Amino acid sequence: MTTIDASHPVLAAPERRRPIGLLLVAIPVLLVIWLIIWPIISAVIQTVWIKTPDGGGAVSLETYRFFFSDSYSLSNLSITLWTTGVCAVLLLVVCLPIALYLRFSDSRVAAYVQGLAIFPMFVPSIILSFAFIRVLGPNGTVDLVLNAVGLPKIRSPYLTPWGPVIGLVWDNIPLTVLILLSGLGNVSNQAIEAARDVGAGRFALLWHIILPRISNSILVAISFAVLGIFSAFTLPYVLGPAAPEMMGPFMQRTFRELFEPQTAITQAVITFGFCILFGLFYVRSVARNQAP
Amino acid sequence: MTSAAIRRPIDWTGIIFAVVLTLVIVLPLVVVGTWAFTNVWRFPSVIPQEFGLRFWNQTLARADVWSSITMSLTLAMTVTLLSALICLPAAYAFARLDFPGRNILFFSFLAGHAFPKFGLLVAIAGIFLQLNLIGTFWGVVLIQLVGTLLFMIWIPVAAFQSVDRRMEEAARDVGASPMRVFWSITLPQAGPTIAAAVLLSFVGTFYETEGAWLIGAPQVRTLPVLMISFINNQPVIQYGAVLSVLLWVPSFIALLFARRVVNSGSFARGFGG
């Protein structure tokens, strides 16, 4: 089976020029405009254009001023930034060695390791949350084992900021490994062997030969992870503390429970602002891979 | 790959990775599976006191479980069907026809990926609020449909592009009609990849939790949403464990059929790798 494949120029050599194509693509394109592009524009407009009492409107940054002066909002933002940063670093620390090992090993163990690294992709995050609580939660499997060998119980990460961190890292391992592995495919064996011949050690090899060649893939992997983690909802909602909460659960609660859509949309625009560079970089990379 | 040695040393690095990953990735799922088939498991016993299927009967006797299974399947089927209906013709057009604005429209499907997803959902929910779509079945369908667009267009486009054009031309030369060529030559070649895209979008929709929760709750309760309430409010652990096993079935099917697509390098490239 083939999928999106850069070796096939995706949009090359069309047969004939036929405006009927526009008709065929109209519905999905209109859906994108109506349900992605318009909501974003409308969110920005809504949050800066405030209705005045006399029936008119005025540009006002009041909702943003409130967010950045409210200590609860700020602590939610900072726990989100902390979680995203810690997850990004942990993901690199965990996935880079796995990807390096998979790239340079052809043993039978490597196939098993690759299967395991990809496996979380086939485990929905809600099942992961449940498994996490049963293993690391109070009286979970880890406690059972520690108790059986006469050691004290752990301080469970469940309902602490480390809960979402562990869950989100677990969840993001497959795509991070795949993206890094795809980048490592660009490191030629000749380059490695040439460096070895002149006596480069393992770390020199990693630092001077491999890392410069996969720096773009590392950035793509981090951007993808940041976009997913910054506004993650399910894992922080189930595994994280009630307060401070990450932006995902915070927006959900503001929208559905406090019923303050305006405030929730302001929070959404703020998450856009914090992620915009990662988002643009990520989309540019994907588009470049697909370009003719 | 390193050059094959004649006497292969033991791959210690690999063994360490394999053991650690097994502990971290497989063990938690084994624990959930064990809980699902346990009648009694009290602290501090390391293994359950009594295995059995008692909680399968009790879980499957619950009305909320059945209604959310039905809801999830109906939603996922509706969304996948609609998505195939509007995306496949579009994919064919992108792959084979030329029309004004083709490139920019093709890349417009990336727009949603430049933003953190839940923030985008909140912005969409703001629009739905004005349209009274919050808490409705079709509101959830729309939000999940948008999530399938990129996948259901880009993968089939690649599939249509990789069809052998010479065979199509040969068929046309011997007098086959365009419909006949499409039905007998194009579709059989592009079919398996398109089927994988359809399967992945069904599975993706089945597990979509955030849109369903934000837009649909509490009226539209899918299986993952029910699972969240089991985790938060259900003291009987086995209900959640049995539901987890049930919930995993579509993913397991995807694992069997779509693994090759996921493992191919081109999949990672589709994510920008």
Side-chain angles (χ1 to χ4, degrees), chain A residues 2-4 10-11 17-18 101 107 112 122 170 231 252 256 290, chain B residues 11 22 24 98 103 118 154 161 193 213-214 217 248 251 261 266:
Chain A
T2 48
T3 57
I4 301 166
V10 174
L11 293 179
R17 201 172 173 83
R18 273 189 178 177
Y101 166 73
S107 73
Y112 177 70
F122 295 97
W170 202 91
S231 77
Q252 193 272 338
R256 291 304 302 264
Q290 300 302 318
Chain B
D11 182 7
T22 306
V24 173
D98 192 14
N103 281 348
F118 201 75
W154 280 34
Q161 292 268 346
T193 308
W213 180 262
L214 183 70
W248 195 57
S251 219
V261 176
S266 39

PDB file of all heavy atoms in Angstrom, chain A residues 2-4 10-11 17-18 101 107 112 122 170 231 252 256 290, chain B residues 11 22 24 98 103 118 154 161 193 213-214 217 248 251 261 266:
ATOM      1  N   THR A   2       0.455   2.223  -0.730  1.00  0.00           N
ATOM      2  CA  THR A   2       1.183   3.480  -0.724  1.00  0.00           C
ATOM      3  C   THR A   2       0.377   4.511   0.036  1.00  0.00           C
ATOM      4  O   THR A   2      -0.843   4.431   0.105  1.00  0.00           O
ATOM      5  CB  THR A   2       1.384   4.006  -2.148  1.00  0.00           C
ATOM      6  OG1 THR A   2       0.143   3.936  -2.818  1.00  0.00           O
ATOM      7  CG2 THR A   2       2.416   3.212  -2.880  1.00  0.00           C
ATOM      8  N   THR A   3       1.066   5.450   0.617  1.00  0.00           N
ATOM      9  CA  THR A   3       0.355   6.576   1.217  1.00  0.00           C
ATOM     10  C   THR A   3       0.954   7.821   0.610  1.00  0.00           C
ATOM     11  O   THR A   3       1.648   7.748  -0.400  1.00  0.00           O
ATOM     12  CB  THR A   3       0.544   6.610   2.732  1.00  0.00           C
ATOM     13  OG1 THR A   3       1.936   6.668   2.986  1.00  0.00           O
ATOM     14  CG2 THR A   3      -0.070   5.407   3.383  1.00  0.00           C
ATOM     15  N   ILE A   4       0.668   8.940   1.255  1.00  0.00           N
ATOM     16  CA  ILE A   4       1.245  10.200   0.815  1.00  0.00           C
ATOM     17  C   ILE A   4       2.745   9.979   0.652  1.00  0.00           C
ATOM     18  O   ILE A   4       3.417   9.598   1.585  1.00  0.00           O
ATOM     19  CB  ILE A   4       1.017  11.279   1.894  1.00  0.00           C
ATOM     20  CG1 ILE A   4      -0.459  11.426   2.136  1.00  0.00           C
ATOM     21  CG2 ILE A   4       1.659  12.572   1.507  1.00  0.00           C
ATOM     22  CD1 ILE A   4      -0.771  12.207   3.393  1.00  0.00           C
ATOM     23  N   VAL A  10       2.851  15.137  -5.809  1.00  0.00           N
ATOM     24  CA  VAL A  10       1.429  14.973  -5.569  1.00  0.00           C
ATOM     25  C   VAL A  10       0.588  15.690  -6.612  1.00  0.00           C
ATOM     26  O   VAL A  10      -0.436  15.212  -7.044  1.00  0.00           O
ATOM     27  CB  VAL A  10       1.078  15.458  -4.154  1.00  0.00           C
ATOM     28  CG1 VAL A  10      -0.414  15.431  -3.939  1.00  0.00           C
ATOM     29  CG2 VAL A  10       1.769  14.585  -3.155  1.00  0.00           C
ATOM     30  N   LEU A  11       1.059  16.860  -7.012  1.00  0.00           N
ATOM     31  CA  LEU A  11       0.223  17.623  -7.926  1.00  0.00           C
ATOM     32  C   LEU A  11       0.901  17.790  -9.287  1.00  0.00           C
ATOM     33  O   LEU A  11       0.932  18.872  -9.839  1.00  0.00           O
ATOM     34  CB  LEU A  11      -0.077  18.988  -7.318  1.00  0.00           C
ATOM     35  CG  LEU A  11      -0.950  18.953  -6.075  1.00  0.00           C
ATOM     36  CD1 LEU A  11      -1.166  20.346  -5.543  1.00  0.00           C
ATOM     37  CD2 LEU A  11      -2.273  18.299  -6.380  1.00  0.00           C
ATOM     38  N   ARG A  17      -7.164  20.684 -18.443  1.00  0.00           N
ATOM     39  CA  ARG A  17      -7.633  21.797 -17.626  1.00  0.00           C
ATOM     40  C   ARG A  17      -9.146  21.828 -17.642  1.00  0.00           C
ATOM     41  O   ARG A  17      -9.768  22.056 -18.667  1.00  0.00           O
ATOM     42  CB  ARG A  17      -7.063  23.103 -18.177  1.00  0.00           C
ATOM     43  CG  ARG A  17      -7.055  24.199 -17.151  1.00  0.00           C
ATOM     44  CD  ARG A  17      -6.315  25.419 -17.650  1.00  0.00           C
ATOM     45  NE  ARG A  17      -6.490  26.488 -16.697  1.00  0.00           N
ATOM     46  CZ  ARG A  17      -5.752  26.614 -15.612  1.00  0.00           C
ATOM     47  NH1 ARG A  17      -4.793  25.762 -15.379  1.00  0.00           N
ATOM     48  NH2 ARG A  17      -5.977  27.596 -14.769  1.00  0.00           N
ATOM     49  N   ARG A  18      -9.758  21.546 -16.501  1.00  0.00           N
ATOM     50  CA  ARG A  18     -11.209  21.459 -16.467  1.00  0.00           C
ATOM     51  C   ARG A  18     -11.749  22.129 -15.225  1.00  0.00           C
ATOM     52  O   ARG A  18     -11.544  21.632 -14.126  1.00  0.00           O
ATOM     53  CB  ARG A  18     -11.630  19.994 -16.426  1.00  0.00           C
ATOM     54  CG  ARG A  18     -11.747  19.363 -17.777  1.00  0.00           C
ATOM     55  CD  ARG A  18     -12.355  18.031 -17.560  1.00  0.00           C
ATOM     56  NE  ARG A  18     -12.564  17.318 -18.800  1.00  0.00           N
ATOM     57  CZ  ARG A  18     -13.048  16.088 -18.849  1.00  0.00           C
ATOM     58  NH1 ARG A  18     -13.324  15.457 -17.730  1.00  0.00           N
ATOM     59  NH2 ARG A  18     -13.225  15.496 -19.991  1.00  0.00           N
ATOM     60  N   TYR A 101      18.824   3.998  17.628  1.00  0.00           N
ATOM     61  CA  TYR A 101      19.009   2.544  17.683  1.00  0.00           C
ATOM     62  C   TYR A 101      18.332   1.875  16.494  1.00  0.00           C
ATOM     63  O   TYR A 101      18.934   1.021  15.818  1.00  0.00           O
ATOM     64  CB  TYR A 101      18.450   2.012  19.002  1.00  0.00           C
ATOM     65  CG  TYR A 101      18.291   0.512  18.993  1.00  0.00           C
ATOM     66  CD1 TYR A 101      19.406  -0.327  19.066  1.00  0.00           C
ATOM     67  CD2 TYR A 101      17.030  -0.060  18.868  1.00  0.00           C
ATOM     68  CE1 TYR A 101      19.262  -1.697  19.017  1.00  0.00           C
ATOM     69  CE2 TYR A 101      16.881  -1.425  18.826  1.00  0.00           C
ATOM     70  CZ  TYR A 101      17.994  -2.243  18.900  1.00  0.00           C
ATOM     71  OH  TYR A 101      17.858  -3.603  18.838  1.00  0.00           O
ATOM     72  N   SER A 107      19.060  -5.955  13.889  1.00  0.00           N
ATOM     73  CA  SER A 107      18.834  -7.222  14.581  1.00  0.00           C
ATOM     74  C   SER A 107      17.332  -7.495  14.683  1.00  0.00           C
ATOM     75  O   SER A 107      16.504  -6.631  14.384  1.00  0.00           O
ATOM     76  CB  SER A 107      19.450  -7.177  15.977  1.00  0.00           C
ATOM     77  OG  SER A 107      18.676  -6.352  16.804  1.00  0.00           O
ATOM     78  N   TYR A 112      11.125  -5.764  17.035  1.00  0.00           N
ATOM     79  CA  TYR A 112      10.253  -5.789  18.213  1.00  0.00           C
ATOM     80  C   TYR A 112      10.193  -4.410  18.861  1.00  0.00           C
ATOM     81  O   TYR A 112       9.100  -3.919  19.204  1.00  0.00           O
ATOM     82  CB  TYR A 112      10.786  -6.838  19.196  1.00  0.00           C
ATOM     83  CG  TYR A 112      10.027  -6.938  20.497  1.00  0.00           C
ATOM     84  CD1 TYR A 112       8.740  -7.467  20.533  1.00  0.00           C
ATOM     85  CD2 TYR A 112      10.591  -6.496  21.686  1.00  0.00           C
ATOM     86  CE1 TYR A 112       8.040  -7.564  21.724  1.00  0.00           C
ATOM     87  CE2 TYR A 112       9.902  -6.583  22.882  1.00  0.00           C
ATOM     88  CZ  TYR A 112       8.625  -7.118  22.898  1.00  0.00           C
ATOM     89  OH  TYR A 112       7.940  -7.204  24.079  1.00  0.00           O
ATOM     90  N   PHE A 122      -1.938   2.956  18.651  1.00  0.00           N
ATOM     91  CA  PHE A 122      -3.159   2.149  18.570  1.00  0.00           C
ATOM     92  C   PHE A 122      -3.823   1.987  19.941  1.00  0.00           C
ATOM     93  O   PHE A 122      -4.625   1.084  20.127  1.00  0.00           O
ATOM     94  CB  PHE A 122      -2.851   0.791  17.942  1.00  0.00           C
ATOM     95  CG  PHE A 122      -2.402   0.909  16.523  1.00  0.00           C
ATOM     96  CD1 PHE A 122      -1.069   0.906  16.199  1.00  0.00           C
ATOM     97  CD2 PHE A 122      -3.335   1.087  15.510  1.00  0.00           C
ATOM     98  CE1 PHE A 122      -0.658   1.047  14.886  1.00  0.00           C
ATOM     99  CE2 PHE A 122      -2.939   1.225  14.198  1.00  0.00           C
ATOM    100  CZ  PHE A 122      -1.589   1.208  13.883  1.00  0.00           C
ATOM    101  N   TRP A 170       3.900   9.361  26.848  1.00  0.00           N
ATOM    102  CA  TRP A 170       3.556   8.007  26.386  1.00  0.00           C
ATOM    103  C   TRP A 170       2.801   8.087  25.063  1.00  0.00           C
ATOM    104  O   TRP A 170       3.105   7.394  24.094  1.00  0.00           O
ATOM    105  CB  TRP A 170       2.658   7.388  27.449  1.00  0.00           C
ATOM    106  CG  TRP A 170       2.575   5.904  27.497  1.00  0.00           C
ATOM    107  CD1 TRP A 170       3.365   5.088  28.250  1.00  0.00           C
ATOM    108  CD2 TRP A 170       1.628   5.055  26.830  1.00  0.00           C
ATOM    109  NE1 TRP A 170       2.958   3.786  28.081  1.00  0.00           N
ATOM    110  CE2 TRP A 170       1.907   3.731  27.222  1.00  0.00           C
ATOM    111  CE3 TRP A 170       0.574   5.272  25.945  1.00  0.00           C
ATOM    112  CZ2 TRP A 170       1.172   2.640  26.773  1.00  0.00           C
ATOM    113  CZ3 TRP A 170      -0.147   4.193  25.484  1.00  0.00           C
ATOM    114  CH2 TRP A 170       0.142   2.885  25.903  1.00  0.00           C
ATOM    115  N   SER A 231      -2.607  22.361  23.999  1.00  0.00           N
ATOM    116  CA  SER A 231      -4.046  22.451  24.285  1.00  0.00           C
ATOM    117  C   SER A 231      -4.646  21.064  24.494  1.00  0.00           C
ATOM    118  O   SER A 231      -5.823  20.852  24.233  1.00  0.00           O
ATOM    119  CB  SER A 231      -4.763  23.199  23.175  1.00  0.00           C
ATOM    120  OG  SER A 231      -4.919  22.348  22.056  1.00  0.00           O
ATOM    121  N   GLN A 252     -12.393  24.321  28.376  1.00  0.00           N
ATOM    122  CA  GLN A 252     -13.619  23.530  28.374  1.00  0.00           C
ATOM    123  C   GLN A 252     -14.538  23.961  29.521  1.00  0.00           C
ATOM    124  O   GLN A 252     -15.727  24.161  29.342  1.00  0.00           O
ATOM    125  CB  GLN A 252     -13.257  22.041  28.484  1.00  0.00           C
ATOM    126  CG  GLN A 252     -14.401  21.093  28.188  1.00  0.00           C
ATOM    127  CD  GLN A 252     -15.217  20.775  29.420  1.00  0.00           C
ATOM    128  OE1 GLN A 252     -14.745  20.917  30.543  1.00  0.00           O
ATOM    129  NE2 GLN A 252     -16.453  20.363  29.220  1.00  0.00           N
ATOM    130  N   ARG A 256     -18.190  25.459  28.922  1.00  0.00           N
ATOM    131  CA  ARG A 256     -19.373  24.650  29.188  1.00  0.00           C
ATOM    132  C   ARG A 256     -19.923  24.791  30.608  1.00  0.00           C
ATOM    133  O   ARG A 256     -21.112  24.695  30.829  1.00  0.00           O
ATOM    134  CB  ARG A 256     -19.093  23.168  28.913  1.00  0.00           C
ATOM    135  CG  ARG A 256     -18.890  22.808  27.460  1.00  0.00           C
ATOM    136  CD  ARG A 256     -20.057  23.219  26.556  1.00  0.00           C
ATOM    137  NE  ARG A 256     -21.358  22.684  26.883  1.00  0.00           N
ATOM    138  CZ  ARG A 256     -21.890  21.609  26.341  1.00  0.00           C
ATOM    139  NH1 ARG A 256     -21.228  20.911  25.453  1.00  0.00           N
ATOM    140  NH2 ARG A 256     -23.099  21.223  26.677  1.00  0.00           N
ATOM    141  N   GLN A 290       5.207  17.696   0.657  1.00  0.00           N
ATOM    142  CA  GLN A 290       4.188  17.265  -0.291  1.00  0.00           C
ATOM    143  C   GLN A 290       4.290  18.006  -1.606  1.00  0.00           C
ATOM    144  O   GLN A 290       3.600  17.667  -2.554  1.00  0.00           O
ATOM    145  CB  GLN A 290       2.792  17.514   0.299  1.00  0.00           C
ATOM    146  CG  GLN A 290       2.547  16.785   1.586  1.00  0.00           C
ATOM    147  CD  GLN A 290       2.721  15.301   1.437  1.00  0.00           C
ATOM    148  OE1 GLN A 290       2.284  14.716   0.458  1.00  0.00           O
ATOM    149  NE2 GLN A 290       3.389  14.675   2.380  1.00  0.00           N
TER     150      GLN A 290
ATOM    151  N   ASP B  11      22.814  -8.183  20.987  1.00  0.00           N
ATOM    152  CA  ASP B  11      22.356  -6.804  20.849  1.00  0.00           C
ATOM    153  C   ASP B  11      21.856  -6.290  22.199  1.00  0.00           C
ATOM    154  O   ASP B  11      20.657  -6.201  22.435  1.00  0.00           O
ATOM    155  CB  ASP B  11      21.240  -6.799  19.787  1.00  0.00           C
ATOM    156  CG  ASP B  11      20.725  -5.402  19.518  1.00  0.00           C
ATOM    157  OD1 ASP B  11      21.309  -4.440  20.038  1.00  0.00           O
ATOM    158  OD2 ASP B  11      19.737  -5.295  18.781  1.00  0.00           O
ATOM    159  N   THR B  22       8.731  -2.781  27.014  1.00  0.00           N
ATOM    160  CA  THR B  22       7.706  -3.760  27.366  1.00  0.00           C
ATOM    161  C   THR B  22       7.088  -3.392  28.709  1.00  0.00           C
ATOM    162  O   THR B  22       5.861  -3.390  28.871  1.00  0.00           O
ATOM    163  CB  THR B  22       8.308  -5.174  27.440  1.00  0.00           C
ATOM    164  OG1 THR B  22       8.979  -5.447  26.220  1.00  0.00           O
ATOM    165  CG2 THR B  22       7.224  -6.216  27.652  1.00  0.00           C
ATOM    166  N   VAL B  24       6.993  -0.446  30.135  1.00  0.00           N
ATOM    167  CA  VAL B  24       6.305   0.839  30.141  1.00  0.00           C
ATOM    168  C   VAL B  24       5.069   0.820  29.247  1.00  0.00           C
ATOM    169  O   VAL B  24       4.059   1.454  29.544  1.00  0.00           O
ATOM    170  CB  VAL B  24       7.271   1.957  29.693  1.00  0.00           C
ATOM    171  CG1 VAL B  24       6.542   3.272  29.517  1.00  0.00           C
ATOM    172  CG2 VAL B  24       8.384   2.113  30.718  1.00  0.00           C
ATOM    173  N   ASP B  98      -7.103  19.649 -13.751  1.00  0.00           N
ATOM    174  CA  ASP B  98      -6.471  20.931 -13.484  1.00  0.00           C
ATOM    175  C   ASP B  98      -7.582  21.967 -13.419  1.00  0.00           C
ATOM    176  O   ASP B  98      -8.514  21.945 -14.206  1.00  0.00           O
ATOM    177  CB  ASP B  98      -5.499  21.272 -14.610  1.00  0.00           C
ATOM    178  CG  ASP B  98      -4.618  22.437 -14.217  1.00  0.00           C
ATOM    179  OD1 ASP B  98      -4.606  22.771 -13.012  1.00  0.00           O
ATOM    180  OD2 ASP B  98      -3.967  23.014 -15.091  1.00  0.00           O
ATOM    181  N   ASN B 103      -3.493  24.330  -6.420  1.00  0.00           N
ATOM    182  CA  ASN B 103      -2.477  24.141  -5.384  1.00  0.00           C
ATOM    183  C   ASN B 103      -2.896  24.749  -4.052  1.00  0.00           C
ATOM    184  O   ASN B 103      -2.789  24.111  -3.011  1.00  0.00           O
ATOM    185  CB  ASN B 103      -1.150  24.748  -5.815  1.00  0.00           C
ATOM    186  CG  ASN B 103      -0.427  23.829  -6.778  1.00  0.00           C
ATOM    187  OD1 ASN B 103      -0.817  22.671  -6.926  1.00  0.00           O
ATOM    188  ND2 ASN B 103       0.592  24.341  -7.428  1.00  0.00           N
ATOM    189  N   PHE B 118      -7.426  21.905  20.531  1.00  0.00           N
ATOM    190  CA  PHE B 118      -8.552  22.205  21.403  1.00  0.00           C
ATOM    191  C   PHE B 118      -8.939  23.688  21.339  1.00  0.00           C
ATOM    192  O   PHE B 118     -10.115  24.028  21.433  1.00  0.00           O
ATOM    193  CB  PHE B 118      -8.263  21.769  22.843  1.00  0.00           C
ATOM    194  CG  PHE B 118      -9.509  21.590  23.651  1.00  0.00           C
ATOM    195  CD1 PHE B 118     -10.322  20.490  23.464  1.00  0.00           C
ATOM    196  CD2 PHE B 118      -9.889  22.536  24.589  1.00  0.00           C
ATOM    197  CE1 PHE B 118     -11.486  20.327  24.196  1.00  0.00           C
ATOM    198  CE2 PHE B 118     -11.057  22.380  25.337  1.00  0.00           C
ATOM    199  CZ  PHE B 118     -11.847  21.271  25.137  1.00  0.00           C
ATOM    200  N   TRP B 154      -5.728  13.708   1.295  1.00  0.00           N
ATOM    201  CA  TRP B 154      -4.314  13.553   0.923  1.00  0.00           C
ATOM    202  C   TRP B 154      -3.940  12.104   0.615  1.00  0.00           C
ATOM    203  O   TRP B 154      -3.232  11.834  -0.343  1.00  0.00           O
ATOM    204  CB  TRP B 154      -3.431  14.118   2.034  1.00  0.00           C
ATOM    205  CG  TRP B 154      -3.338  15.606   1.952  1.00  0.00           C
ATOM    206  CD1 TRP B 154      -4.334  16.456   1.530  1.00  0.00           C
ATOM    207  CD2 TRP B 154      -2.220  16.424   2.256  1.00  0.00           C
ATOM    208  NE1 TRP B 154      -3.892  17.748   1.579  1.00  0.00           N
ATOM    209  CE2 TRP B 154      -2.607  17.764   2.017  1.00  0.00           C
ATOM    210  CE3 TRP B 154      -0.932  16.162   2.716  1.00  0.00           C
ATOM    211  CZ2 TRP B 154      -1.735  18.829   2.216  1.00  0.00           C
ATOM    212  CZ3 TRP B 154      -0.064  17.240   2.921  1.00  0.00           C
ATOM    213  CH2 TRP B 154      -0.472  18.549   2.676  1.00  0.00           C
ATOM    214  N   GLN B 161      -2.716   9.092  -7.712  1.00  0.00           N
ATOM    215  CA  GLN B 161      -1.517   9.461  -8.466  1.00  0.00           C
ATOM    216  C   GLN B 161      -0.660   8.246  -8.796  1.00  0.00           C
ATOM    217  O   GLN B 161       0.068   8.241  -9.779  1.00  0.00           O
ATOM    218  CB  GLN B 161      -0.676  10.459  -7.655  1.00  0.00           C
ATOM    219  CG  GLN B 161      -1.314  11.805  -7.478  1.00  0.00           C
ATOM    220  CD  GLN B 161      -0.906  12.779  -8.561  1.00  0.00           C
ATOM    221  OE1 GLN B 161       0.032  12.539  -9.280  1.00  0.00           O
ATOM    222  NE2 GLN B 161      -1.642  13.866  -8.678  1.00  0.00           N
ATOM    223  N   THR B 193      -5.355   1.424  -0.739  1.00  0.00           N
ATOM    224  CA  THR B 193      -4.923   2.605   0.004  1.00  0.00           C
ATOM    225  C   THR B 193      -6.119   3.422   0.465  1.00  0.00           C
ATOM    226  O   THR B 193      -6.157   3.917   1.595  1.00  0.00           O
ATOM    227  CB  THR B 193      -4.006   3.473  -0.869  1.00  0.00           C
ATOM    228  OG1 THR B 193      -2.980   2.632  -1.377  1.00  0.00           O
ATOM    229  CG2 THR B 193      -3.392   4.583  -0.065  1.00  0.00           C
ATOM    230  N   TRP B 213     -16.959  15.763  23.455  1.00  0.00           N
ATOM    231  CA  TRP B 213     -17.170  16.227  24.831  1.00  0.00           C
ATOM    232  C   TRP B 213     -17.552  17.699  24.849  1.00  0.00           C
ATOM    233  O   TRP B 213     -18.493  18.102  25.520  1.00  0.00           O
ATOM    234  CB  TRP B 213     -15.880  15.973  25.616  1.00  0.00           C
ATOM    235  CG  TRP B 213     -15.899  16.390  27.043  1.00  0.00           C
ATOM    236  CD1 TRP B 213     -15.408  17.552  27.554  1.00  0.00           C
ATOM    237  CD2 TRP B 213     -16.406  15.643  28.159  1.00  0.00           C
ATOM    238  NE1 TRP B 213     -15.578  17.574  28.913  1.00  0.00           N
ATOM    239  CE2 TRP B 213     -16.180  16.424  29.318  1.00  0.00           C
ATOM    240  CE3 TRP B 213     -17.015  14.399  28.283  1.00  0.00           C
ATOM    241  CZ2 TRP B 213     -16.543  15.984  30.581  1.00  0.00           C
ATOM    242  CZ3 TRP B 213     -17.374  13.977  29.552  1.00  0.00           C
ATOM    243  CH2 TRP B 213     -17.145  14.763  30.682  1.00  0.00           C
ATOM    244  N   LEU B 214     -16.810  18.511  24.072  1.00  0.00           N
ATOM    245  CA  LEU B 214     -17.035  19.952  24.090  1.00  0.00           C
ATOM    246  C   LEU B 214     -18.369  20.309  23.432  1.00  0.00           C
ATOM    247  O   LEU B 214     -19.122  21.132  23.950  1.00  0.00           O
ATOM    248  CB  LEU B 214     -15.890  20.673  23.361  1.00  0.00           C
ATOM    249  CG  LEU B 214     -15.956  22.191  23.369  1.00  0.00           C
ATOM    250  CD1 LEU B 214     -15.689  22.741  24.755  1.00  0.00           C
ATOM    251  CD2 LEU B 214     -14.965  22.783  22.381  1.00  0.00           C
ATOM    252  N   ALA B 217     -21.619  16.941  24.808  1.00  0.00           N
ATOM    253  CA  ALA B 217     -22.033  16.622  26.173  1.00  0.00           C
ATOM    254  C   ALA B 217     -23.096  17.603  26.639  1.00  0.00           C
ATOM    255  O   ALA B 217     -23.040  18.766  26.279  1.00  0.00           O
ATOM    256  CB  ALA B 217     -20.822  16.677  27.105  1.00  0.00           C
ATOM    257  N   TRP B 248     -11.287  -0.968  22.891  1.00  0.00           N
ATOM    258  CA  TRP B 248     -10.051  -1.162  22.143  1.00  0.00           C
ATOM    259  C   TRP B 248     -10.283  -1.892  20.822  1.00  0.00           C
ATOM    260  O   TRP B 248      -9.423  -1.860  19.935  1.00  0.00           O
ATOM    261  CB  TRP B 248      -9.030  -1.914  23.007  1.00  0.00           C
ATOM    262  CG  TRP B 248      -7.662  -1.843  22.457  1.00  0.00           C
ATOM    263  CD1 TRP B 248      -6.954  -0.711  22.175  1.00  0.00           C
ATOM    264  CD2 TRP B 248      -6.827  -2.940  22.079  1.00  0.00           C
ATOM    265  NE1 TRP B 248      -5.739  -1.028  21.650  1.00  0.00           N
ATOM    266  CE2 TRP B 248      -5.632  -2.392  21.584  1.00  0.00           C
ATOM    267  CE3 TRP B 248      -6.976  -4.327  22.116  1.00  0.00           C
ATOM    268  CZ2 TRP B 248      -4.589  -3.177  21.130  1.00  0.00           C
ATOM    269  CZ3 TRP B 248      -5.933  -5.111  21.667  1.00  0.00           C
ATOM    270  CH2 TRP B 248      -4.754  -4.538  21.181  1.00  0.00           C
ATOM    271  N   SER B 251      -9.531  -0.198  17.453  1.00  0.00           N
ATOM    272  CA  SER B 251      -8.105   0.066  17.337  1.00  0.00           C
ATOM    273  C   SER B 251      -7.349  -1.208  16.990  1.00  0.00           C
ATOM    274  O   SER B 251      -6.383  -1.191  16.226  1.00  0.00           O
ATOM    275  CB  SER B 251      -7.598   0.619  18.665  1.00  0.00           C
ATOM    276  OG  SER B 251      -6.665   1.612  18.444  1.00  0.00           O
ATOM    277  N   VAL B 261       0.732   0.653   6.573  1.00  0.00           N
ATOM    278  CA  VAL B 261       0.685   2.054   6.154  1.00  0.00           C
ATOM    279  C   VAL B 261       1.452   2.909   7.148  1.00  0.00           C
ATOM    280  O   VAL B 261       2.251   3.768   6.784  1.00  0.00           O
ATOM    281  CB  VAL B 261      -0.781   2.543   6.077  1.00  0.00           C
ATOM    282  CG1 VAL B 261      -0.834   4.014   5.737  1.00  0.00           C
ATOM    283  CG2 VAL B 261      -1.534   1.740   5.044  1.00  0.00           C
ATOM    284  N   SER B 266       6.657   6.796   4.245  1.00  0.00           N
ATOM    285  CA  SER B 266       5.897   7.889   3.661  1.00  0.00           C
ATOM    286  C   SER B 266       4.831   8.404   4.618  1.00  0.00           C
ATOM    287  O   SER B 266       4.433   9.556   4.546  1.00  0.00           O
ATOM    288  CB  SER B 266       5.255   7.444   2.354  1.00  0.00           C
ATOM    289  OG  SER B 266       4.789   6.125   2.456  1.00  0.00           O
TER     290      SER B 266
END
